[in-house]
């Protein structure tokens, strides 16, 4: 009943410019979305309006122009680079005599194609069902259920209500299953929290190079491609950072301008890795002309999922596409890293990123001088085995003076293993 286009179909694209910045979309982004969905673009119809037309989104003349182009190219589908209401979709389909999709439906379809894990598929289906629920009329127009009246109000109305009930039940079932998956994910997160392993989350606009950077840092083979939404399902890997020890690096779904609200809501469980991270690495495509707008859009989504209060490090990626730009770390007035310039594709600058991560997570480092009496030589040996001793000296009483530096988690573990209050050896 819920007919959807198949990958490989031929499409006519429609892009309208509006004076209001909040209503504007990027035509190049639409072309990339269409390509990512496996659809071929036959023609692009452009225009400008002060505001969307209530009935057809575009004006009557522009709608007829689109219909004529569809007929000339024998197109299978018309894809709008904007969000359409259900009634606008239906009205346009009557004029164009073919399937009409909006930007939201296109993004949902790409997500459906790319989801690989059980959780990802459930989340995409939930978002699709919520989106479809407002468009159920399409499946039953042949029953004339809109007209009502004697002899016409029964079958269509009954079937439509049945469909709505089945949708509600399916949505309820998916939410229950997602709650179970979220519980398992939360248990894993609590285990990492008990071990005090820091979590670093990669966030950013779609196609900014997050997965390429993730693979480079962790020697993984996560799917990475020059297309939108190459990554949907979160991937976690362990990464060793000097002076910090092991950290968990999370690769997450990329954001996009006007990301469908249902998708944000559906992926909240997945994005919990971002919401509860110790550090966010915001990857930016520095070669993109709209990088400023992209950064603002990512910050907007982070605020929507309540993840905008976490320490963030900007990573300006793809400097290999710019002339005379070298890898570097930009710092604020306190000397704290705020921006790293690198190329995940060529690998230059990644050591600077690791250095910046180490500095930003340094609060989880135990760095003190210990004054250890000769009778506790065993503790000294343990510290050397942990490679925690930076410098060794003696005082006038023959005590060891050890400058130690190790992850806080290792210090806490050492306190438990020693079975005594070793913090009394901290030289104040």
């Amino acid at each position: 009943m819920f007919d959807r286009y198949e990958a490989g179909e031929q499409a006519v694209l429609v892009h309208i410019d509006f004076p209001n910045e909040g209503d504007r979309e990027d035509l190049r982004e639409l072309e990339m979305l269409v390509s990512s969905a496996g659809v071929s673009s036959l023609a692009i119809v452009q225009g400008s309006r002060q505001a969307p037309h209530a009935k057809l989104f575009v004006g009557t003349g522009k709608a007829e122009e689109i219909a004529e182009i569809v007929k000339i190219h024998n197109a299978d589908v018309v894809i709008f680079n904007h969000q359409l209401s259900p009634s606008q979709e239906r009205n346009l389909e009557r004029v164009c005599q073919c399937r009409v999709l909006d930007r939201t439906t296109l993004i949902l379809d790409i997500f459906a194609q790319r989801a690989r894990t059980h959780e990802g598929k459930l989340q995409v289906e939930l978002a699709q069902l919520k989106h479809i629920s407002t468009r159920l009329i399409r499946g039953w127009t042949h029953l004339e259920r809109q007209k009502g009246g004697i002899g016409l109000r029964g079958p269509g109305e009954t079937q439509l209500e049945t469909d709505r009930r089945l949708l509600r039940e399916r949505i309820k079932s998916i939410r229950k299953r997602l709650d179970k998956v979220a519980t398992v994910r939360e248990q894993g997160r609590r285990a990492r929290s008990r071990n005090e392993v820091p979590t670093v989350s990669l966030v950013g606009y779609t196609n900014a190079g997050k997965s390429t950077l993730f693979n480079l840092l962790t020697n993984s083979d996560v799917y990475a491609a020059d297309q939108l939404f190459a990554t949907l399902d979160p991937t976690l890997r362990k990464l060793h950072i000097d002076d910090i020890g092991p950290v968990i690096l999370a690769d997450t779904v990329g954001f996009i301008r006007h990301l469908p609200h249902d998708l944000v809501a559906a992926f909240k469980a997945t994005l919990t890795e971002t919401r509860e991270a110790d550090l966010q690495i915001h990857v930016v495509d520095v070669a993109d002309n709209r990088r400023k707008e992209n950064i603002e859009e990512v910050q907007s989504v982070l605020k929507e999922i309540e993840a905008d209060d976490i320490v963030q490090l900007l990573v300006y990626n793809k400097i290999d596409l710019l002339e005379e730009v070298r890898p570097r770390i930009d710092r604020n007035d306190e000397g704290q890293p705020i921006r790293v310039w690198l190329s995940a594709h060529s690998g230059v600058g990644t050591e600077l990123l690791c250095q910046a991560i180490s500095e930003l997570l340094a609060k989880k480092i135990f760095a003190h001088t210990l004054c250890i009496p000769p009778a506790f030589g065993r503790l000294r040996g343990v510290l050397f085995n942990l490679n925690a001793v930076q410098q060794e000296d003696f005082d006038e009483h023959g005590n060891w003076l050890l400058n130690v530096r190790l992850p806080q988690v290792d210090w806490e573990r050492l306190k438990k293993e020693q079975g005594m209050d070793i913090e009394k050896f901290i030289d104040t």
Side-chain angles (χ1 to χ4, degrees), residues 16-26 50 52 57 81-83 103 257-259 290 293 296-297:
I16 306 297
D17 284 320
F18 294 99
N20 184 5
E21 179 66 32
D23 295 329
R24 289 180 186 171
E25 300 291 357
D26 187 348
Q50 289 297 314
F57 190 84
N81 193 22
H82 311 274
Q83 187 168 345
R103 178 185 172 89
R257 193 168 288 100
H258 299 153
L259 186 67
R290 301 194 67 179
E293 291 89 342
E296 292 173 353
E297 189 63 35

Side-chain angles (χ1 to χ4, degrees), residues 171-184:
I171 289 173
K172 187 176 179 181
S173 171
I174 291 175
R175 281 178 170 156
K176 282 184 178 179
R177 292 163 71 180
L178 280 173
D179 286 342
K180 291 181 180 179
V181 175
T183 300
V184 174

Side-chain angles (χ1 to χ4, degrees), residues 53-73:
H53 189 277
K55 184 177 180 181
L56 295 168
F57 190 84
V58 295
T60 305
K62 182 64 70 173
E64 291 175 354
E65 177 189 340
I66 295 170
E68 185 65 26
I69 292 175
V70 167
K71 188 174 181 181
I72 292 173
H73 292 279

Side-chain angles (χ1 to χ4, degrees), residues 215-428:
N215 288 337
L216 183 66
L217 293 173
T218 62
N219 294 318
S220 302
D221 57 353
V222 171
Y223 179 66
D226 184 19
Q227 56 184 204
L228 303 188
F229 301 119
T231 301
L232 284 190
D233 302 307
T235 307
L236 306 180
R237 292 289 187 275
K238 186 176 288 187
L239 172 66
H240 184 84
I241 298 293
D242 290 343
D243 292 334
I244 301 295
V247 302
I248 298 297
L249 187 64
D251 187 19
T252 58
V253 61
F255 303 146
I256 194 169
R257 193 168 288 100
H258 299 153
L259 186 67
H261 183 74
D262 287 341
L263 268 181
V264 176
F267 274 83
K268 265 197 173 180
T270 300
L271 295 172
T272 302
E273 299 293 349
T274 299
R275 292 160 60 195
E276 298 188 0
D278 296 281
L279 172 66
Q280 289 174 1
I281 296 179
H282 182 172
V283 183
V284 179
D285 180 355
V286 72
D288 193 325
N289 293 329
R290 301 194 67 179
R291 69 169 183 254
K292 183 179 179 182
E293 291 89 342
N294 294 348
I295 291 173
E296 292 173 353
E297 189 63 35
V298 171
Q299 300 294 8
S300 174
V301 176
L302 289 174
K303 185 174 183 179
E304 188 173 351
I305 65 172
E306 300 171 356
D308 57 331
D309 57 348
I310 297 170
V311 177
Q312 188 179 98
L313 175 67
L314 278 173
V315 170
Y316 276 6
N317 186 28
K318 305 187 183 181
I319 62 171
D320 53 311
L321 301 180
L322 303 177
E323 294 182 2
E324 298 182 0
V325 177
R326 295 183 178 181
R328 67 176 190 268
I329 297 178
D330 294 340
R331 301 177 181 274
N332 59 17
D333 294 337
E334 288 77 34
Q336 186 178 30
I338 57 172
R339 194 179 301 110
V340 178
W341 299 68
L342 55 76
S343 169
H345 179 70
S346 65
V348 297
T350 50
E351 71 285 352
L352 296 178
L353 174 59
C354 292
Q355 177 187 332
I357 294 173
S358 177
E359 292 183 34
L360 291 171
L361 293 177
K363 62 182 180 179
K364 294 187 175 288
I365 292 295
F366 177 86
H368 289 281
T369 298
L370 301 182
C371 180
I372 302 177
F376 295 90
R378 184 169 173 269
L379 174 59
R380 172 183 173 274
V382 172
L383 290 168
F384 269 98
N385 287 336
L386 289 173
N387 293 320
V389 179
Q390 306 292 305
Q391 185 178 347
E392 182 180 30
D393 208 342
F394 299 90
D395 65 10
E396 64 273 16
H397 303 294
N399 298 319
W400 287 297
L401 295 177
L402 303 181
N403 288 335
V404 299
R405 182 180 176 87
L406 71 164
Q408 186 72 36
V409 59
D410 289 345
W411 174 253
E412 298 297 331
R413 188 181 300 118
L414 184 60
K415 287 198 298 185
K416 293 178 182 178
E417 291 174 353
Q418 292 300 310
M420 61 177 176
D421 182 17
I422 59 176
E423 288 195 346
K424 65 185 178 182
F425 297 133
I426 297 177
D427 189 3
T428 57

Side-chain angles (χ1 to χ4, degrees), residues 54-194:
K55 184 177 180 181
L56 295 168
F57 190 84
V58 295
T60 305
K62 182 64 70 173
E64 291 175 354
E65 177 189 340
I66 295 170
E68 185 65 26
I69 292 175
V70 167
K71 188 174 181 181
I72 292 173
H73 292 279
N74 195 26
D76 304 303
V77 61
V78 175
I79 301 177
F80 275 71
N81 193 22
H82 311 274
Q83 187 168 345
L84 303 176
S85 69
S87 61
Q88 287 170 337
E89 277 190 16
R90 291 194 297 272
N91 294 333
L92 285 165
E93 286 180 350
R94 291 193 188 102
V95 175
C96 298
Q97 292 297 301
C98 73
R99 187 87 164 84
V100 174
L101 302 176
D102 66 356
R103 178 185 172 89
T104 298
T105 308
L106 178 63
I107 292 174
L108 285 169
D109 190 85
I110 296 172
F111 271 57
Q113 291 182 42
R114 299 279 166 75
R116 293 291 178 266
T117 66
H118 175 64
E119 181 185 17
K121 290 176 181 178
L122 286 176
Q123 288 171 328
V124 171
E125 185 180 355
L126 177 61
Q128 282 185 312
L129 290 175
K130 290 170 74 174
H131 184 67
I132 286 173
S133 64
T134 62
R135 289 158 167 76
L136 279 175
I137 181 175
R138 178 180 291 114
W140 299 100
T141 48
H142 64 286
L143 293 176
E144 297 293 335
R145 64 144 198 81
Q146 277 186 305
K147 292 182 180 178
I150 297 174
L152 294 174
R153 59 171 66 97
E157 291 283 351
T158 303
Q159 186 61 58
L160 191 61
E161 288 305 312
T162 301
D163 292 336
R164 284 176 176 159
R165 178 175 54 79
L166 291 174
L167 267 181
R168 286 194 298 269
E169 291 175 356
R170 178 61 180 165
I171 289 173
K172 187 176 179 181
S173 171
I174 291 175
R175 281 178 170 156
K176 282 184 178 179
R177 292 163 71 180
L178 280 173
D179 286 342
K180 291 181 180 179
V181 175
T183 300
V184 174
R185 190 179 283 277
E186 180 62 26
Q187 289 172 347
R189 207 165 10 250
R190 285 176 182 170
R192 294 196 298 274
S193 178
R194 282 195 299 270

